[in-house]
Amino acid sequence: MEDHIRIFDTTLRDGEQSPGCSMNRAEKLRMARQLEHLRVDVIEAGFPVASRGDFEAVQDIAGAIRNCTVAALARAVKSDIDCAYEAIRQAARPRIHTFIATSDIHLAHKLHKTRDQVLQDAVEAVRYARSLCEDVEFSCEDASRSDITFICRIVEAAIEVGATVVNLPDTVGYAIPTEYAAMFRSVRREVPNIGRAVLSTHCHNDLGLAVANSLAAVEAGARQVECTVNGIGERAGNAALEEVVMAIATRREQFGVMTGVQSEEIFRSSHLLSSLTGMLVQRNKAIVGANAFAHEAGIHQDGVLKSAITYEIMTPQSVGIRQNTLVLGKHSGRHAIKQRFRELGFDLQPDEVERAYREFCALADQKKEVYDEELIALLDGSVNHVDEYYHLDGLHVSTGTAVKPTATVELRRGENRYVDSAIGDGPVDAAYRAIERITGVIGKLTEYSLKSVSLGHDTIGEAFVRVDFDGTLFNGRAASTDIVTGSVLAYLGALNRAMAARRSRTGDPATPITLVASASGGGT
Ligand code: KIV
Ligand code: ZN
């Protein structure tokens, strides 16, 4: 019987912490439900003490998820632990995850504590957490740069007072597989009570080694892998869940272990996350990138046609990408659209089908055939996961080689309609300036990209923006056959996200983000 590897998903905690990946409460709950479908073992739902929004999101998830353990993060401090427990106490299987740094670098420069003091804090934290909750995970932050003798001491002490899981993170993504595996082997060899806890790995991707290090740790005895969907996370990200899971499944004989993940839900999870956060997946990303199963070279295509096994080590179906021969057009009805989405892995709610259908009809009027990639891109615009404070009601641009680019934008907010015009360096810049004039909110565009979703001159373009509002980055993404409209919708997506975040922090979306001194948008 193969050992079970627990998949501990930290998309909603370590992942969400990364720039531009923030999600609101409803979005986090939606992602958590999808992680439950994916059958991960543990969902780390957040860091409740960090903000009221985080606390409430963790509480929502703990109340809704029945089939996974729900974990909440806490520093090795009593008040953090109380807050974490309060947020997860309704969970079917709650876990408190408490951590403290163990490397001399962190002790000297961050904590200003001795090893003995850190050991004592860890022991008190785990003992206290265990008095509240049966399942307690203890993490040695920066374990990979810590002294192994100290790691063994603190791990033994934490297990002695009740830690059920012990995690040894490569917090700064510094480790290489051989040495990271050696740390796990040492701990298993040197810590006498190690058999009473599950050993866990948690790797960051600064050197591009997060998945390799996680797998090396599994080979060295780790039985829990901490990872995120699409590998999102601090800096270069965390170990990508889909890569860890598919490596273990594809090289099953090598690893001799298995996960309980429903791999057919991988693509759907990846897409949901990227549409919730606006964080695109690079085309050549392993497992879930658009090119991951595309064979371009003639020799490869020939081989795959003769027998898939020649160049394909796993099937697209095994990660939930279904292959399609049916092309939808303007005569396709609601049922066909709904069915096609289902085949692509998206079970839409009736109101979502309605909105997706309306978007589809508008697109099918402009182009003869609508391809799967375009349908999926439409989802981002039609199935809107963001509270819509401002809605685009109209857009007119005038541009060319001999005219100053000008845009007139009409926005609706509740019952009120606003219209204003601006000139800019190009039509998109002009439209963004008009939005600023109307809303009075200044955003600094830090990233802007456009890509065509499929082939052909009539395909739809997908716009992605990242905008800095008051020092926080928000992503927006939208698809349209008109690239200026797509760009404006993407910007409004980011703005609406910023306003939603403002509401979750202050309880009032009307609190200005950054007001333009000369804002002159007039209600009509
Ligand atoms: O990277 C890290 O060390 C962490 C811990 C809090 C587990 O995220
Ligand atoms: Zn981390």
Side-chain angles (χ1 to χ4, degrees):
M1 175 71 181
E2 292 152 318
D3 269 5
H4 176 78
I5 299 294
R6 300 169 190 201
I7 296 296
F8 175 114
D9 180 279
T10 183
T11 305
L12 295 169
R13 200 276 298 169
D14 223 355
E16 206 254 352
Q17 232 160 265
S18 65
C21 284
S22 61
M23 286 174 255
N24 64 30
R25 213 166 141 180
E27 291 169 336
K28 285 183 187 171
L29 184 58
R30 188 169 175 146
M31 190 65 210
R33 289 193 198 279
Q34 178 54 32
L35 291 172
E36 192 175 32
H37 291 312
L38 185 62
R39 300 207 193 137
V40 303
D41 299 273
V42 185
I43 296 173
E44 186 165 46
F47 188 14
V49 86
S51 70
R52 198 182 64 160
D54 252 49
F55 179 88
E56 289 169 346
V58 175
Q59 214 173 28
D60 289 349
I61 293 168
I65 300 298
R66 298 290 95 184
N67 299 312
C68 310
T69 296
V70 176
L73 188 69
R75 286 167 300 182
V77 175
K78 188 172 175 292
S79 50
D80 272 34
I81 294 171
D82 283 332
C83 182
Y85 182 62
E86 195 49 39
I88 52 163
R89 60 186 307 162
Q90 302 301 333
R93 298 201 296 264
R95 175 184 295 178
I96 297 174
H97 176 191
T98 186
F99 74 99
I100 193 162
T102 49
S103 67
D104 288 339
I105 298 174
H106 280 232
L107 266 58
H109 300 285
K110 187 180 86 176
L111 299 178
H112 308 294
K113 288 190 172 176
T114 63
R115 288 185 185 176
D116 285 345
Q117 285 168 326
V118 165
L119 186 123
Q120 196 183 332
D121 287 355
V123 164
E124 278 168 20
V126 173
R127 186 183 284 126
Y128 181 61
R130 228 2 246 277
S131 73
L132 303 172
C133 184
E134 295 251 298
D135 193 2
V136 173
E137 172 166 340
F138 170 66
S139 285
C140 305
E141 191 190 10
D142 207 18
S144 56
R145 292 193 301 168
S146 303
D147 173 64
I148 187 65
T149 323
F150 182 51
I151 289 277
C152 291
R153 256 182 84 203
I154 200 166
V155 165
E156 182 179 350
I159 295 174
E160 211 41 53
V161 291
T164 48
V165 179
V166 170
N167 183 34
L168 304 178
D170 181 25
T171 304
V172 291
Y174 177 74
I176 56 174
T178 41
E179 73 185 5
Y180 192 57
M183 174 173 65
F184 282 79
R185 290 204 174 90
S186 301
V187 168
R188 288 182 67 210
R189 197 178 50 242
E190 305 298 333
V191 175
N193 56 5
I194 195 70
R196 285 168 26 203
V198 171
L199 259 180
S200 172
T201 156
H202 175 116
C203 296
H204 282 265
N205 206 29
D206 300 66
L207 293 174
L209 292 172
V211 171
N213 284 334
S214 305
L215 296 172
V218 166
E219 287 191 304
R223 287 296 173 263
Q224 173 177 284
V225 179
E226 304 197 357
C227 45
T228 60
V229 173
N230 296 343
I232 67 165
E234 281 283 2
R235 308 178 307 277
N238 288 54
L241 177 148
E242 60 279 2
E243 296 177 23
V244 170
V245 166
M246 291 314 288
I248 289 176
T250 307
R251 303 302 309 276
R252 197 168 165 166
E253 280 169 24
Q254 169 76 21
F255 289 107
V257 296
M258 55 185 283
T259 73
V261 165
Q262 179 79 34
S263 67
E264 291 80 4
E265 291 287 329
I266 283 179
F267 182 66
R268 191 203 306 239
S269 309
S270 160
H271 186 269
L272 176 65
L273 180 69
S274 96
S275 75
L276 291 175
T277 59
M279 187 88 149
L280 293 179
V281 170
Q282 81 210 41
R283 289 192 81 83
N284 62 336
K285 163 88 178 63
I287 319 293
V288 290
N291 291 354
F293 293 93
H295 300 277
E296 186 69 28
I299 294 176
H300 289 206
Q301 286 180 348
D302 181 55
V304 168
L305 287 174
K306 286 178 177 143
S307 170
I309 200 176
T310 50
Y311 288 100
E312 211 167 77
I313 59 167
M314 60 199 152
T315 64
Q317 290 83 354
S318 66
V319 297
I321 301 173
R322 265 149 268 207
Q323 245 127 43
N324 165 46
T325 45
L326 184 76
V327 178
L328 298 170
K330 70 175 174 190
H331 300 297
S332 309
R334 267 183 197 73
H335 183 71
I337 306 296
K338 184 175 173 202
Q339 184 57 28
R340 189 75 208 116
F341 272 120
R342 179 167 299 154
E343 284 162 13
L344 289 168
F346 302 94
D347 257 326
L348 301 189
Q349 301 302 310
D351 60 319
E352 295 175 332
V353 174
E354 223 23 69
R355 272 179 282 166
Y357 179 65
R358 274 204 305 274
E359 296 276 334
F360 167 81
C361 291
L363 180 61
D365 261 353
Q366 294 168 43
K367 65 196 298 286
K368 231 169 74 207
E369 293 172 332
V370 178
Y371 295 97
D372 286 350
E373 308 90 281
E374 296 173 320
L375 274 182
I376 292 176
L378 279 184
L379 268 191
D380 302 329
S382 61
V383 181
N384 201 336
H385 309 291
V386 186
D387 293 337
E388 213 184 18
Y389 294 94
Y390 285 104
H391 176 85
L392 181 68
D393 261 0
L395 171 68
H396 175 86
V397 292
S398 145
T399 190
T401 49
V403 289
K404 192 88 190 142
T406 312
T408 300
V409 175
E410 198 179 334
L411 298 183
R412 181 161 37 85
R413 181 165 180 195
E415 299 295 299
N416 297 323
R417 286 197 140 72
Y418 303 89
V419 62
D420 212 330
S421 305
I423 53 172
D425 290 339
V428 173
D429 183 47
Y432 288 0
R433 287 171 191 257
I435 292 173
E436 280 182 1
R437 288 170 65 86
I438 292 172
T439 59
V441 175
I442 290 195
K444 189 163 161 268
L445 191 66
T446 64
E447 217 176 302
Y448 171 84
S449 68
L450 261 183
K451 70 167 190 174
S452 81
V453 167
S454 65
L455 301 176
H457 66 273
D458 62 348
T459 183
I460 55 180
E462 194 167 65
F464 172 79
V465 296
R466 181 167 290 162
V467 192
D468 182 335
F469 291 108
D470 264 358
T472 309
L473 294 174
F474 293 89
N475 293 344
R477 182 177 169 193
S480 169
T481 47
D482 177 80
I483 56 174
V484 183
T485 307
S487 304
V488 168
L489 288 171
Y491 188 89
L492 283 177
L495 174 64
N496 285 329
R497 252 171 225 287
M499 296 187 70
R502 167 66 58 163
R503 186 186 56 183
S504 102
R505 275 203 304 275
T506 65
D508 178 14
T511 315
I513 296 179
T514 302
L515 280 178
V516 195
S518 61
S520 57
T524 57

